[in-house]
Amino acid sequence: MIKYLGSKRALVPLIERVVEELPVRSVCDLFAGTTRVGQALRASGLRVVSNDLASYSEAFGHAYIAADERVDRVRIRRLLAQLDALPGRPGYFTRAFCEQARYLRPDNGARVDAIRAEIDALATSPVERGILLTALVEAADRVDSTVGLQMAYLKRWAPRARNRLELREPTPVPGPAGTVLREDANALAPALDVDLAYVDPPYNQHSYFSNYHVWETLVRGDEPETYGIANKRVDCRERKSPWNSRRLAAAALDDLLERIATPWLVVSCNAEGFHAPDAVQERLSRRGHVARLPVDVRRYVGAQIGIHAPSGEKVGRVSHLRTTEYLFVAGPDRRAVERAAGLRAAA
Ligand SMILES: C[S@@+](CC[C@H](N)C(=O)[O-])C[C@H]1O[C@@H](n2cnc3c(N)ncnc32)[C@H](O)[C@@H]1O
């Protein structure tokens, strides 16, 4: 399982159950991240549009949402085996993320450099390219030396970092082929031609662009200038988003909910984030009937591990290990909303 803060892995069964009770056949996962939610909805038979600003999410979208039975899986496995067998060739990635920073061990970094260059040299369709890039990001994630964020690296190499980076085929997802977009959610919202939007925006001051800058650079292959101990892309300093500002996030959500052109909405909201659950409920009630489902979940991996000084010693106490996520369901039909929320027996 790829490490991604705010991933809705634990909520997927509930989201699936809720959506199943609604009269919908198509959905847009507006902030798709890992694409986990879109994968589950696709597998339950819905047509999925997967959208996220991140380039790595676009690659995951090609691998898990757009790829269908037209993909030649024998060719994919052959290409993956060929890429996996390439000898390491240290380049930008090794220098920036394995020598100046400690994301991967340099021997694995050199193989990433060789594989990434070869992916560009291969003649592939966008979906095939997305599958190969996804395999590479997932392989790097399995041998990285982080606690899940690319902001600082462990002082000593994580035990898994000593393993050989190994490419594996991303598991095909059954269900109708979907589409993949890389657009700003608020700009895309009015043009949505689907029955339901799933809304899971960033919820605190940390931007995904900065937290996952290594994947972004790996997928783009653009070799930017970097800064700081984590060797982030310089454009991390310039790219500011209202979603990461306590002052501006509520207006961004208001604006989004006003623009979304779908009758049905499912919205995730973390109790520890910028969006007060009562305010989200009030905002959604302007669009029809609303139900709110509280879900108790584990907090992010950093909270599970504890607070450490740069020297590695444990310095603080984490106040709590669990948190509440809210799932809101909103739409034009009260009975359907209540059924979806489990407040009324299925029809
Ligand atoms: C809370 S995460 C979503 C996690 C996702 N539901 C999952 O299960 O993996 C928020 C996502 O919003 C994306 N994002 C940030 N700003 C965005 C924007 N303006 N438009 C679209 N996506 C954006 C981030 O790249 C990140 O993947």
Side-chain angles (χ1 to χ4, degrees):
M1 284 297 169
I2 202 153
K3 299 187 284 301
Y4 203 58
L5 194 69
S7 149
K8 294 297 167 291
R9 184 156 62 96
L11 262 77
V12 160
L14 175 65
I15 296 171
E16 266 183 292
R17 225 174 44 238
V18 162
V19 174
E20 222 164 68
E21 291 296 337
L22 298 174
V24 300
R25 302 171 63 112
S26 54
V27 48
C28 178
D29 188 2
L30 262 176
F31 300 86
T34 59
T35 74
R36 250 175 214 139
V37 173
Q39 290 179 41
L41 296 178
R42 176 185 183 187
S44 69
L46 297 181
R47 183 172 63 78
V48 175
V49 177
S50 187
N51 177 67
D52 196 290
L53 267 189
S55 305
Y56 52 82
S57 181
E58 185 183 31
F60 301 160
H62 281 299
Y64 294 121
I65 303 297
D68 63 5
E69 63 288 341
R70 285 170 295 183
V71 172
D72 180 345
R73 292 282 162 183
V74 174
R75 172 175 146 84
I76 290 291
R77 280 172 214 138
R78 183 172 49 74
L79 290 177
L80 285 171
Q82 228 169 280
L83 292 169
D84 194 72
L86 289 173
R89 203 169 31 155
Y92 172 88
F93 189 93
T94 312
R95 251 188 342 273
F97 302 124
C98 312
E99 291 168 3
Q100 294 160 10
R102 291 162 55 88
Y103 172 70
L104 296 186
R105 282 169 54 95
D107 51 339
N108 278 330
R111 294 192 47 242
V112 168
D113 269 317
I115 294 168
R116 183 64 190 80
E118 185 60 18
I119 290 176
D120 276 351
L122 290 168
T124 50
S125 69
V127 166
E128 286 177 331
R129 182 179 166 82
I131 293 174
L132 300 180
L133 289 170
T134 296
L136 182 55
V137 173
E138 291 180 346
D141 185 60
R142 282 191 294 270
V143 294
D144 75 1
S145 195
T146 74
V147 292
L149 301 177
Q150 295 149 19
M151 300 211 286
Y153 308 102
L154 298 173
K155 207 169 160 60
R156 284 193 210 99
W157 291 109
R160 67 169 174 275
R162 298 182 191 281
N163 297 339
R164 177 183 183 276
L165 175 126
E166 182 198 11
L167 296 178
R168 297 182 196 156
E169 183 187 5
T171 311
V173 176
T179 42
V180 186
L181 300 171
R182 180 155 60 86
E183 295 196 24
D184 173 71
N186 292 54
L188 175 64
L192 287 179
D193 183 20
V194 289
D195 303 323
L196 181 143
Y198 173 58
V199 177
D200 183 22
Y203 51 90
N204 63 21
Q205 70 278 22
H206 301 295
S207 91
Y208 280 83
F209 191 58
S210 282
N211 278 343
Y212 297 95
H213 66 98
V214 176
W215 294 353
E216 188 66 30
T217 300
L218 178 54
V219 169
R220 290 192 192 188
D222 59 353
E223 308 191 357
E225 266 183 60
T226 56
Y227 71 97
I229 34 167
N231 258 21
K232 290 184 184 175
R233 318 168 50 87
V234 281
D235 49 2
C236 287
R237 277 199 288 228
E238 291 140 27
R239 194 159 121 172
K240 294 284 167 231
S241 162
W243 294 105
N244 303 123
S245 153
R246 184 175 288 284
R247 196 168 54 80
L248 302 175
L253 184 61
D254 260 17
D255 177 63
L256 178 69
L257 296 180
E258 190 143 308
R259 285 164 177 247
I260 290 183
T262 66
W264 298 96
L265 281 172
V266 173
V267 179
S268 276
C269 172
N270 186 300
E272 296 180 15
F274 288 161
H275 303 288
D278 288 346
V280 175
Q281 181 153 358
E282 195 281 317
R283 183 66 195 75
L284 283 170
S285 65
R286 293 184 227 160
R287 294 190 50 121
H289 303 276
V290 190
R292 163 163 149 179
L293 300 166
V295 192
D296 175 50
V297 292
R298 269 162 67 90
R299 288 181 85 211
Y300 68 98
V301 64
Q304 307 290 332
I305 291 168
I307 301 166
H308 293 79
S311 58
E313 99 220 43
K314 207 160 179 163
V315 289
R317 277 220 354 222
V318 175
S319 56
H320 54 295
L321 295 177
R322 302 198 70 85
T323 185
T324 306
E325 285 267 353
Y326 292 96
L327 197 68
F328 293 95
V329 191
D333 176 343
R334 182 165 58 85
R335 284 166 177 265
V337 168
E338 287 177 354
R339 260 201 317 275
L343 303 172
R344 176 186 281 272

